Amino acid sequence: MVDADGKGSALAAQDCVLFSTADWDEPYWTNKQHTASILAARGWRILYVESVGFRSPKVGSGRDWKRLWRRLWRGVQSLVLGPPRRAENIWVLSPLMVPAGHHLPFVSALNQALLRFSVTRFARSQRFQKPVVWTYHPYMLDSIATLPRGPLVYHCVDDIAEIPGVDVVAFRTAQQALVERCEAVFTTAMSLKEVCLPFNRNTHFFGNVVDDKHFGTARAEGAATALSTGLSAGLSAGLSAGLPADLAAIPEPRLIYHGVLSDFKVDFPLLLETAKARPHWQWVIIGEEREGQRSELFAQLSRMPNVHPLGYRPYQVLPQYLRGMQVGVLPTLLNDYTRSMFPMKFYEYLAAGLPVVSTPLDFANEPRAGLEVGGDRDAFIAAIEKQLARGKLSADEAREAVGENTWEARLDKMLAITFRRSGPGGTGQPASLDALA
């Protein structure tokens, strides 16, 4: 057992049913896949249940319909053959569900019945022993109603109710019901903690974290050799003087944003204004646009001579790109969904030795090492200029800025809090209220 500080004897491997909001093979891994992978590496057996969907597919969205047909095919396979094993100790269940009419009682009942059958059958066939139920959304309570289980954990990493197309009232109601029954609740933003805490006193704030060893290779000598190991021949051949060839051709100073390019997550007007105001700054953008979330402003931005959209790059090679940057930026568009976000990129930038500039998200309200904040064009530019002047973080500064905000350390603390209790009960009472984060 680990203690609340992440120290102590190791917790014995458990079985776990993890309800995700993302498919296993999404190109951009987030909390869900990382948590499952770390637990599996520790010997836990994981049933990873992919997203059940929170909105009906858009009629005109090719991406929605392509994903729907893929989900239907995988759902039939999971229902008939059982969840396939996709990694060591990880099985992936693609739920077979009616994709529309979630608000209708009979549709909801049918979907939950199908999910309950698939989860229960798998748990029995694999002889899962009172699995930990770790969920990222509330639409799963009925599916575990007959499942002998261990602790129920809600890891609240996004304000899903604010995603366009989601039924806000239905989600808030379902979330409250879940929170009230959990043994532990963890949030990645203080605002999310404030939503959950009234319904469960064992609610804790743990911000997003980083694989510090992976991104720390961006600072290491010989990083090019280390990072090329295991990459495709094309990616490895593209390394030039320690940098990928497409990056080495871009002059300094280089500013980096990497992630999904969504019109309700990224402040494209701010980026466009800043790029125009400082034409000698080189903007390197790594990521892809999402269908239905495209912005004409990004098209304008991409045509500027000092803006370099490189498209998607694999997670394994991101440190190699970050190694050639001077500042990491978080140009998040402020709205009800994004305001509570704690971007994973923040600690990824810091671990790579990059000072960071962000728009004023909630997480940036408190002083953080390596961070400057700007909410409009002039403030954003001033913050970048300040970070360019201070230069990249030294190895010691990067380690201090990241601190214990790593996947392993955070998970240890979460498990310590979860297993302080003895068995499920849903009272929301921690072993010691003094330990509330």
PDB file of all heavy atoms in Angstrom, residues 1-3 6-16 38-39 41-44 132 134 151 153 411-421:
ATOM      1  N   MET A   1       0.843  -1.197   0.000  1.00  0.00           N
ATOM      2  CA  MET A   1       0.000   0.000   0.000  1.00  0.00           C
ATOM      3  C   MET A   1       0.877   1.246   0.000  1.00  0.00           C
ATOM      4  O   MET A   1       1.853   1.309   0.737  1.00  0.00           O
ATOM      5  CB  MET A   1      -0.908  -0.002   1.242  1.00  0.00           C
ATOM      6  CG  MET A   1      -1.778   1.255   1.397  1.00  0.00           C
ATOM      7  SD  MET A   1      -3.106   1.367   0.186  1.00  0.00           S
ATOM      8  CE  MET A   1      -4.198   0.093   0.778  1.00  0.00           C
ATOM      9  N   VAL A   2       0.525   2.235  -0.819  1.00  0.00           N
ATOM     10  CA  VAL A   2       1.226   3.510  -0.793  1.00  0.00           C
ATOM     11  C   VAL A   2       0.484   4.459   0.123  1.00  0.00           C
ATOM     12  O   VAL A   2      -0.707   4.308   0.368  1.00  0.00           O
ATOM     13  CB  VAL A   2       1.317   4.122  -2.213  1.00  0.00           C
ATOM     14  CG1 VAL A   2       2.201   3.289  -3.087  1.00  0.00           C
ATOM     15  CG2 VAL A   2      -0.060   4.268  -2.839  1.00  0.00           C
ATOM     16  N   ASP A   3       1.211   5.457   0.659  1.00  0.00           N
ATOM     17  CA  ASP A   3       0.538   6.434   1.497  1.00  0.00           C
ATOM     18  C   ASP A   3       0.155   7.647   0.669  1.00  0.00           C
ATOM     19  O   ASP A   3       0.380   7.688  -0.537  1.00  0.00           O
ATOM     20  CB  ASP A   3       1.411   6.820   2.695  1.00  0.00           C
ATOM     21  CG  ASP A   3       2.754   7.400   2.283  1.00  0.00           C
ATOM     22  OD1 ASP A   3       2.823   8.006   1.193  1.00  0.00           O
ATOM     23  OD2 ASP A   3       3.726   7.264   3.042  1.00  0.00           O
ATOM     24  N   GLY A   6       2.505   9.160  -1.746  1.00  0.00           N
ATOM     25  CA  GLY A   6       3.038   8.324  -2.811  1.00  0.00           C
ATOM     26  C   GLY A   6       4.186   7.447  -2.374  1.00  0.00           C
ATOM     27  O   GLY A   6       4.931   6.914  -3.188  1.00  0.00           O
ATOM     28  N   LYS A   7       4.373   7.270  -1.041  1.00  0.00           N
ATOM     29  CA  LYS A   7       5.466   6.467  -0.540  1.00  0.00           C
ATOM     30  C   LYS A   7       4.909   5.250   0.187  1.00  0.00           C
ATOM     31  O   LYS A   7       3.758   5.204   0.570  1.00  0.00           O
ATOM     32  CB  LYS A   7       6.351   7.288   0.396  1.00  0.00           C
ATOM     33  CG  LYS A   7       6.941   8.542  -0.268  1.00  0.00           C
ATOM     34  CD  LYS A   7       7.705   9.381   0.721  1.00  0.00           C
ATOM     35  CE  LYS A   7       8.259  10.652   0.068  1.00  0.00           C
ATOM     36  NZ  LYS A   7       8.969  11.503   1.031  1.00  0.00           N
ATOM     37  N   GLY A   8       5.758   4.287   0.433  1.00  0.00           N
ATOM     38  CA  GLY A   8       5.325   3.109   1.176  1.00  0.00           C
ATOM     39  C   GLY A   8       5.411   1.871   0.307  1.00  0.00           C
ATOM     40  O   GLY A   8       5.910   1.891  -0.808  1.00  0.00           O
ATOM     41  N   SER A   9       4.911   0.774   0.816  1.00  0.00           N
ATOM     42  CA  SER A   9       4.967  -0.483   0.079  1.00  0.00           C
ATOM     43  C   SER A   9       4.023  -0.458  -1.102  1.00  0.00           C
ATOM     44  O   SER A   9       3.002   0.223  -1.095  1.00  0.00           O
ATOM     45  CB  SER A   9       4.606  -1.639   1.016  1.00  0.00           C
ATOM     46  OG  SER A   9       3.303  -1.460   1.527  1.00  0.00           O
ATOM     47  N   ALA A  10       4.377  -1.215  -2.141  1.00  0.00           N
ATOM     48  CA  ALA A  10       3.610  -1.199  -3.382  1.00  0.00           C
ATOM     49  C   ALA A  10       2.248  -1.860  -3.178  1.00  0.00           C
ATOM     50  O   ALA A  10       2.119  -2.846  -2.447  1.00  0.00           O
ATOM     51  CB  ALA A  10       4.386  -1.913  -4.475  1.00  0.00           C
ATOM     52  N   LEU A  11       1.255  -1.338  -3.857  1.00  0.00           N
ATOM     53  CA  LEU A  11      -0.081  -1.910  -3.829  1.00  0.00           C
ATOM     54  C   LEU A  11      -0.114  -3.125  -4.747  1.00  0.00           C
ATOM     55  O   LEU A  11       0.373  -3.077  -5.884  1.00  0.00           O
ATOM     56  CB  LEU A  11      -1.091  -0.862  -4.292  1.00  0.00           C
ATOM     57  CG  LEU A  11      -2.553  -1.290  -4.390  1.00  0.00           C
ATOM     58  CD1 LEU A  11      -3.110  -1.553  -2.990  1.00  0.00           C
ATOM     59  CD2 LEU A  11      -3.370  -0.206  -5.091  1.00  0.00           C
ATOM     60  N   ALA A  12      -0.683  -4.214  -4.267  1.00  0.00           N
ATOM     61  CA  ALA A  12      -0.775  -5.426  -5.084  1.00  0.00           C
ATOM     62  C   ALA A  12      -1.603  -5.161  -6.327  1.00  0.00           C
ATOM     63  O   ALA A  12      -2.542  -4.355  -6.315  1.00  0.00           O
ATOM     64  CB  ALA A  12      -1.391  -6.549  -4.256  1.00  0.00           C
ATOM     65  N   ALA A  13      -1.256  -5.830  -7.417  1.00  0.00           N
ATOM     66  CA  ALA A  13      -1.974  -5.662  -8.673  1.00  0.00           C
ATOM     67  C   ALA A  13      -3.441  -6.048  -8.506  1.00  0.00           C
ATOM     68  O   ALA A  13      -3.769  -7.018  -7.817  1.00  0.00           O
ATOM     69  CB  ALA A  13      -1.322  -6.491  -9.768  1.00  0.00           C
ATOM     70  N   GLN A  14      -4.316  -5.286  -9.141  1.00  0.00           N
ATOM     71  CA  GLN A  14      -5.748  -5.487  -9.057  1.00  0.00           C
ATOM     72  C   GLN A  14      -6.313  -5.727 -10.459  1.00  0.00           C
ATOM     73  O   GLN A  14      -5.609  -5.598 -11.472  1.00  0.00           O
ATOM     74  CB  GLN A  14      -6.418  -4.241  -8.464  1.00  0.00           C
ATOM     75  CG  GLN A  14      -5.785  -3.713  -7.201  1.00  0.00           C
ATOM     76  CD  GLN A  14      -6.219  -4.463  -5.969  1.00  0.00           C
ATOM     77  OE1 GLN A  14      -7.386  -4.805  -5.816  1.00  0.00           O
ATOM     78  NE2 GLN A  14      -5.269  -4.725  -5.079  1.00  0.00           N
ATOM     79  N   ASP A  15      -7.590  -6.022 -10.498  1.00  0.00           N
ATOM     80  CA  ASP A  15      -8.343  -5.987 -11.748  1.00  0.00           C
ATOM     81  C   ASP A  15      -9.056  -4.643 -11.826  1.00  0.00           C
ATOM     82  O   ASP A  15      -9.405  -4.052 -10.796  1.00  0.00           O
ATOM     83  CB  ASP A  15      -9.350  -7.123 -11.806  1.00  0.00           C
ATOM     84  CG  ASP A  15      -8.685  -8.496 -11.836  1.00  0.00           C
ATOM     85  OD1 ASP A  15      -7.619  -8.608 -12.485  1.00  0.00           O
ATOM     86  OD2 ASP A  15      -9.204  -9.432 -11.199  1.00  0.00           O
ATOM     87  N   CYS A  16      -9.288  -4.159 -13.055  1.00  0.00           N
ATOM     88  CA  CYS A  16      -9.872  -2.822 -13.220  1.00  0.00           C
ATOM     89  C   CYS A  16     -10.732  -2.766 -14.477  1.00  0.00           C
ATOM     90  O   CYS A  16     -10.324  -3.237 -15.541  1.00  0.00           O
ATOM     91  CB  CYS A  16      -8.767  -1.771 -13.295  1.00  0.00           C
ATOM     92  SG  CYS A  16      -9.344  -0.073 -13.582  1.00  0.00           S
ATOM     93  N   ILE A  38      -0.155   2.505 -17.441  1.00  0.00           N
ATOM     94  CA  ILE A  38       0.683   2.435 -16.241  1.00  0.00           C
ATOM     95  C   ILE A  38       0.204   1.314 -15.323  1.00  0.00           C
ATOM     96  O   ILE A  38       1.004   0.535 -14.788  1.00  0.00           O
ATOM     97  CB  ILE A  38       0.679   3.782 -15.505  1.00  0.00           C
ATOM     98  CG1 ILE A  38       1.366   4.857 -16.365  1.00  0.00           C
ATOM     99  CG2 ILE A  38       1.394   3.671 -14.162  1.00  0.00           C
ATOM    100  CD1 ILE A  38       1.233   6.250 -15.809  1.00  0.00           C
ATOM    101  N   LEU A  39      -1.106   1.226 -15.127  1.00  0.00           N
ATOM    102  CA  LEU A  39      -1.638   0.155 -14.290  1.00  0.00           C
ATOM    103  C   LEU A  39      -1.300  -1.215 -14.883  1.00  0.00           C
ATOM    104  O   LEU A  39      -0.907  -2.141 -14.157  1.00  0.00           O
ATOM    105  CB  LEU A  39      -3.148   0.315 -14.135  1.00  0.00           C
ATOM    106  CG  LEU A  39      -3.618   1.498 -13.282  1.00  0.00           C
ATOM    107  CD1 LEU A  39      -5.142   1.615 -13.345  1.00  0.00           C
ATOM    108  CD2 LEU A  39      -3.161   1.360 -11.838  1.00  0.00           C
ATOM    109  N   ALA A  41       1.207  -1.983 -16.763  1.00  0.00           N
ATOM    110  CA  ALA A  41       2.640  -2.229 -16.586  1.00  0.00           C
ATOM    111  C   ALA A  41       2.955  -2.680 -15.167  1.00  0.00           C
ATOM    112  O   ALA A  41       3.971  -3.347 -14.932  1.00  0.00           O
ATOM    113  CB  ALA A  41       3.433  -0.967 -16.922  1.00  0.00           C
ATOM    114  N   ARG A  42       2.077  -2.347 -14.220  1.00  0.00           N
ATOM    115  CA  ARG A  42       2.261  -2.769 -12.830  1.00  0.00           C
ATOM    116  C   ARG A  42       1.625  -4.135 -12.560  1.00  0.00           C
ATOM    117  O   ARG A  42       1.581  -4.586 -11.415  1.00  0.00           O
ATOM    118  CB  ARG A  42       1.656  -1.729 -11.892  1.00  0.00           C
ATOM    119  CG  ARG A  42       2.343  -0.376 -11.936  1.00  0.00           C
ATOM    120  CD  ARG A  42       1.711   0.593 -10.950  1.00  0.00           C
ATOM    121  NE  ARG A  42       2.382   1.893 -10.958  1.00  0.00           N
ATOM    122  CZ  ARG A  42       2.125   2.882 -10.101  1.00  0.00           C
ATOM    123  NH1 ARG A  42       1.197   2.711  -9.161  1.00  0.00           N
ATOM    124  NH2 ARG A  42       2.770   4.022 -10.179  1.00  0.00           N
ATOM    125  N   GLY A  43       1.103  -4.755 -13.601  1.00  0.00           N
ATOM    126  CA  GLY A  43       0.533  -6.086 -13.448  1.00  0.00           C
ATOM    127  C   GLY A  43      -0.978  -6.112 -13.299  1.00  0.00           C
ATOM    128  O   GLY A  43      -1.568  -7.193 -13.169  1.00  0.00           O
ATOM    129  N   TRP A  44      -1.634  -4.937 -13.312  1.00  0.00           N
ATOM    130  CA  TRP A  44      -3.089  -4.908 -13.247  1.00  0.00           C
ATOM    131  C   TRP A  44      -3.660  -5.451 -14.557  1.00  0.00           C
ATOM    132  O   TRP A  44      -3.078  -5.268 -15.632  1.00  0.00           O
ATOM    133  CB  TRP A  44      -3.589  -3.479 -13.057  1.00  0.00           C
ATOM    134  CG  TRP A  44      -3.349  -2.878 -11.711  1.00  0.00           C
ATOM    135  CD1 TRP A  44      -2.184  -2.867 -11.003  1.00  0.00           C
ATOM    136  CD2 TRP A  44      -4.301  -2.152 -10.921  1.00  0.00           C
ATOM    137  NE1 TRP A  44      -2.347  -2.189  -9.825  1.00  0.00           N
ATOM    138  CE2 TRP A  44      -3.636  -1.742  -9.741  1.00  0.00           C
ATOM    139  CE3 TRP A  44      -5.645  -1.817 -11.089  1.00  0.00           C
ATOM    140  CZ2 TRP A  44      -4.270  -1.005  -8.741  1.00  0.00           C
ATOM    141  CZ3 TRP A  44      -6.284  -1.081 -10.107  1.00  0.00           C
ATOM    142  CH2 TRP A  44      -5.601  -0.690  -8.945  1.00  0.00           C
ATOM    143  N   VAL A 132     -11.580  -2.776  -9.476  1.00  0.00           N
ATOM    144  CA  VAL A 132     -11.719  -1.332  -9.311  1.00  0.00           C
ATOM    145  C   VAL A 132     -12.440  -0.814 -10.543  1.00  0.00           C
ATOM    146  O   VAL A 132     -12.118  -1.190 -11.675  1.00  0.00           O
ATOM    147  CB  VAL A 132     -10.328  -0.671  -9.188  1.00  0.00           C
ATOM    148  CG1 VAL A 132     -10.465   0.849  -9.121  1.00  0.00           C
ATOM    149  CG2 VAL A 132      -9.580  -1.210  -7.990  1.00  0.00           C
ATOM    150  N   TRP A 134     -12.928   2.444 -12.602  1.00  0.00           N
ATOM    151  CA  TRP A 134     -12.302   3.757 -12.775  1.00  0.00           C
ATOM    152  C   TRP A 134     -12.951   4.394 -13.997  1.00  0.00           C
ATOM    153  O   TRP A 134     -12.804   3.907 -15.103  1.00  0.00           O
ATOM    154  CB  TRP A 134     -10.803   3.573 -12.994  1.00  0.00           C
ATOM    155  CG  TRP A 134      -9.973   4.820 -12.916  1.00  0.00           C
ATOM    156  CD1 TRP A 134      -9.947   5.855 -13.801  1.00  0.00           C
ATOM    157  CD2 TRP A 134      -9.020   5.145 -11.888  1.00  0.00           C
ATOM    158  NE1 TRP A 134      -9.044   6.798 -13.399  1.00  0.00           N
ATOM    159  CE2 TRP A 134      -8.455   6.398 -12.227  1.00  0.00           C
ATOM    160  CE3 TRP A 134      -8.589   4.495 -10.737  1.00  0.00           C
ATOM    161  CZ2 TRP A 134      -7.473   7.011 -11.442  1.00  0.00           C
ATOM    162  CZ3 TRP A 134      -7.614   5.115  -9.964  1.00  0.00           C
ATOM    163  CH2 TRP A 134      -7.077   6.359 -10.311  1.00  0.00           C
ATOM    164  N   PRO A 151     -13.495  -0.554  -5.239  1.00  0.00           N
ATOM    165  CA  PRO A 151     -13.777   0.884  -5.187  1.00  0.00           C
ATOM    166  C   PRO A 151     -14.238   1.446  -6.536  1.00  0.00           C
ATOM    167  O   PRO A 151     -13.812   0.987  -7.597  1.00  0.00           O
ATOM    168  CB  PRO A 151     -12.437   1.494  -4.774  1.00  0.00           C
ATOM    169  CG  PRO A 151     -11.685   0.385  -4.128  1.00  0.00           C
ATOM    170  CD  PRO A 151     -12.117  -0.862  -4.820  1.00  0.00           C
ATOM    171  N   VAL A 153     -14.194   4.870  -8.705  1.00  0.00           N
ATOM    172  CA  VAL A 153     -13.409   6.097  -8.797  1.00  0.00           C
ATOM    173  C   VAL A 153     -13.870   6.902 -10.008  1.00  0.00           C
ATOM    174  O   VAL A 153     -13.998   6.365 -11.109  1.00  0.00           O
ATOM    175  CB  VAL A 153     -11.899   5.782  -8.939  1.00  0.00           C
ATOM    176  CG1 VAL A 153     -11.094   7.066  -9.108  1.00  0.00           C
ATOM    177  CG2 VAL A 153     -11.413   4.984  -7.737  1.00  0.00           C
ATOM    178  N   LEU A 411      -0.517   8.906  -9.848  1.00  0.00           N
ATOM    179  CA  LEU A 411      -1.311   7.690  -9.727  1.00  0.00           C
ATOM    180  C   LEU A 411      -1.095   7.035  -8.367  1.00  0.00           C
ATOM    181  O   LEU A 411      -2.050   6.517  -7.762  1.00  0.00           O
ATOM    182  CB  LEU A 411      -0.971   6.720 -10.852  1.00  0.00           C
ATOM    183  CG  LEU A 411      -1.830   5.461 -10.942  1.00  0.00           C
ATOM    184  CD1 LEU A 411      -3.307   5.801 -11.076  1.00  0.00           C
ATOM    185  CD2 LEU A 411      -1.390   4.589 -12.117  1.00  0.00           C
ATOM    186  N   ASP A 412       0.130   7.050  -7.871  1.00  0.00           N
ATOM    187  CA  ASP A 412       0.386   6.509  -6.537  1.00  0.00           C
ATOM    188  C   ASP A 412      -0.463   7.215  -5.486  1.00  0.00           C
ATOM    189  O   ASP A 412      -1.033   6.578  -4.591  1.00  0.00           O
ATOM    190  CB  ASP A 412       1.869   6.652  -6.180  1.00  0.00           C
ATOM    191  CG  ASP A 412       2.740   5.601  -6.858  1.00  0.00           C
ATOM    192  OD1 ASP A 412       2.185   4.582  -7.301  1.00  0.00           O
ATOM    193  OD2 ASP A 412       3.965   5.802  -6.928  1.00  0.00           O
ATOM    194  N   LYS A 413      -0.541   8.534  -5.565  1.00  0.00           N
ATOM    195  CA  LYS A 413      -1.329   9.295  -4.590  1.00  0.00           C
ATOM    196  C   LYS A 413      -2.821   8.990  -4.724  1.00  0.00           C
ATOM    197  O   LYS A 413      -3.531   8.862  -3.724  1.00  0.00           O
ATOM    198  CB  LYS A 413      -1.073  10.792  -4.770  1.00  0.00           C
ATOM    199  CG  LYS A 413       0.352  11.213  -4.431  1.00  0.00           C
ATOM    200  CD  LYS A 413       0.589  12.690  -4.723  1.00  0.00           C
ATOM    201  CE  LYS A 413       2.023  13.077  -4.414  1.00  0.00           C
ATOM    202  NZ  LYS A 413       2.300  14.502  -4.728  1.00  0.00           N
ATOM    203  N   MET A 414      -3.300   8.866  -5.951  1.00  0.00           N
ATOM    204  CA  MET A 414      -4.709   8.540  -6.171  1.00  0.00           C
ATOM    205  C   MET A 414      -5.052   7.166  -5.590  1.00  0.00           C
ATOM    206  O   MET A 414      -6.089   6.996  -4.937  1.00  0.00           O
ATOM    207  CB  MET A 414      -5.020   8.568  -7.672  1.00  0.00           C
ATOM    208  CG  MET A 414      -5.032   9.944  -8.295  1.00  0.00           C
ATOM    209  SD  MET A 414      -5.362   9.824 -10.077  1.00  0.00           S
ATOM    210  CE  MET A 414      -5.633  11.558 -10.473  1.00  0.00           C
ATOM    211  N   LEU A 415      -4.188   6.198  -5.830  1.00  0.00           N
ATOM    212  CA  LEU A 415      -4.444   4.849  -5.321  1.00  0.00           C
ATOM    213  C   LEU A 415      -4.399   4.818  -3.800  1.00  0.00           C
ATOM    214  O   LEU A 415      -5.180   4.105  -3.159  1.00  0.00           O
ATOM    215  CB  LEU A 415      -3.434   3.865  -5.907  1.00  0.00           C
ATOM    216  CG  LEU A 415      -3.544   3.610  -7.416  1.00  0.00           C
ATOM    217  CD1 LEU A 415      -2.410   2.725  -7.898  1.00  0.00           C
ATOM    218  CD2 LEU A 415      -4.898   2.993  -7.775  1.00  0.00           C
ATOM    219  N   ALA A 416      -3.493   5.612  -3.213  1.00  0.00           N
ATOM    220  CA  ALA A 416      -3.416   5.661  -1.753  1.00  0.00           C
ATOM    221  C   ALA A 416      -4.720   6.187  -1.169  1.00  0.00           C
ATOM    222  O   ALA A 416      -5.242   5.655  -0.187  1.00  0.00           O
ATOM    223  CB  ALA A 416      -2.242   6.546  -1.329  1.00  0.00           C
ATOM    224  N   ILE A 417      -5.264   7.222  -1.777  1.00  0.00           N
ATOM    225  CA  ILE A 417      -6.528   7.796  -1.306  1.00  0.00           C
ATOM    226  C   ILE A 417      -7.668   6.804  -1.519  1.00  0.00           C
ATOM    227  O   ILE A 417      -8.515   6.595  -0.640  1.00  0.00           O
ATOM    228  CB  ILE A 417      -6.812   9.116  -2.038  1.00  0.00           C
ATOM    229  CG1 ILE A 417      -5.814  10.193  -1.594  1.00  0.00           C
ATOM    230  CG2 ILE A 417      -8.247   9.586  -1.787  1.00  0.00           C
ATOM    231  CD1 ILE A 417      -5.840  11.444  -2.432  1.00  0.00           C
ATOM    232  N   THR A 418      -7.686   6.169  -2.675  1.00  0.00           N
ATOM    233  CA  THR A 418      -8.766   5.233  -3.005  1.00  0.00           C
ATOM    234  C   THR A 418      -8.799   4.049  -2.039  1.00  0.00           C
ATOM    235  O   THR A 418      -9.877   3.648  -1.572  1.00  0.00           O
ATOM    236  CB  THR A 418      -8.593   4.708  -4.445  1.00  0.00           C
ATOM    237  OG1 THR A 418      -8.657   5.803  -5.354  1.00  0.00           O
ATOM    238  CG2 THR A 418      -9.680   3.699  -4.785  1.00  0.00           C
ATOM    239  N   PHE A 419      -7.637   3.504  -1.710  1.00  0.00           N
ATOM    240  CA  PHE A 419      -7.593   2.283  -0.902  1.00  0.00           C
ATOM    241  C   PHE A 419      -7.468   2.550   0.591  1.00  0.00           C
ATOM    242  O   PHE A 419      -7.295   1.617   1.369  1.00  0.00           O
ATOM    243  CB  PHE A 419      -6.477   1.370  -1.402  1.00  0.00           C
ATOM    244  CG  PHE A 419      -6.854   0.642  -2.661  1.00  0.00           C
ATOM    245  CD1 PHE A 419      -6.558   1.170  -3.899  1.00  0.00           C
ATOM    246  CD2 PHE A 419      -7.540  -0.558  -2.604  1.00  0.00           C
ATOM    247  CE1 PHE A 419      -6.925   0.516  -5.069  1.00  0.00           C
ATOM    248  CE2 PHE A 419      -7.911  -1.228  -3.758  1.00  0.00           C
ATOM    249  CZ  PHE A 419      -7.603  -0.683  -4.997  1.00  0.00           C
ATOM    250  N   ARG A 420      -7.591   3.810   1.000  1.00  0.00           N
ATOM    251  CA  ARG A 420      -7.699   4.078   2.436  1.00  0.00           C
ATOM    252  C   ARG A 420      -9.013   3.559   2.973  1.00  0.00           C
ATOM    253  O   ARG A 420      -9.166   3.278   4.148  1.00  0.00           O
ATOM    254  CB  ARG A 420      -7.623   5.593   2.705  1.00  0.00           C
ATOM    255  CG  ARG A 420      -6.237   6.160   2.593  1.00  0.00           C
ATOM    256  CD  ARG A 420      -6.171   7.520   3.238  1.00  0.00           C
ATOM    257  NE  ARG A 420      -7.175   8.435   2.719  1.00  0.00           N
ATOM    258  CZ  ARG A 420      -6.897   9.686   2.345  1.00  0.00           C
ATOM    259  NH1 ARG A 420      -5.670  10.127   2.398  1.00  0.00           N
ATOM    260  NH2 ARG A 420      -7.846  10.487   1.920  1.00  0.00           N
ATOM    261  N   ARG A 421     -10.005   3.467   2.069  1.00  0.00           N
ATOM    262  CA  ARG A 421     -11.326   2.994   2.469  1.00  0.00           C
ATOM    263  C   ARG A 421     -11.387   1.478   2.398  1.00  0.00           C
ATOM    264  O   ARG A 421     -10.594   0.845   1.716  1.00  0.00           O
ATOM    265  CB  ARG A 421     -12.402   3.586   1.553  1.00  0.00           C
ATOM    266  CG  ARG A 421     -12.526   5.090   1.674  1.00  0.00           C
ATOM    267  CD  ARG A 421     -13.501   5.628   0.637  1.00  0.00           C
ATOM    268  NE  ARG A 421     -14.719   4.833   0.631  1.00  0.00           N
ATOM    269  CZ  ARG A 421     -15.714   5.006   1.473  1.00  0.00           C
ATOM    270  NH1 ARG A 421     -15.647   5.931   2.390  1.00  0.00           N
ATOM    271  NH2 ARG A 421     -16.793   4.258   1.405  1.00  0.00           N
TER     272      ARG A 421
END
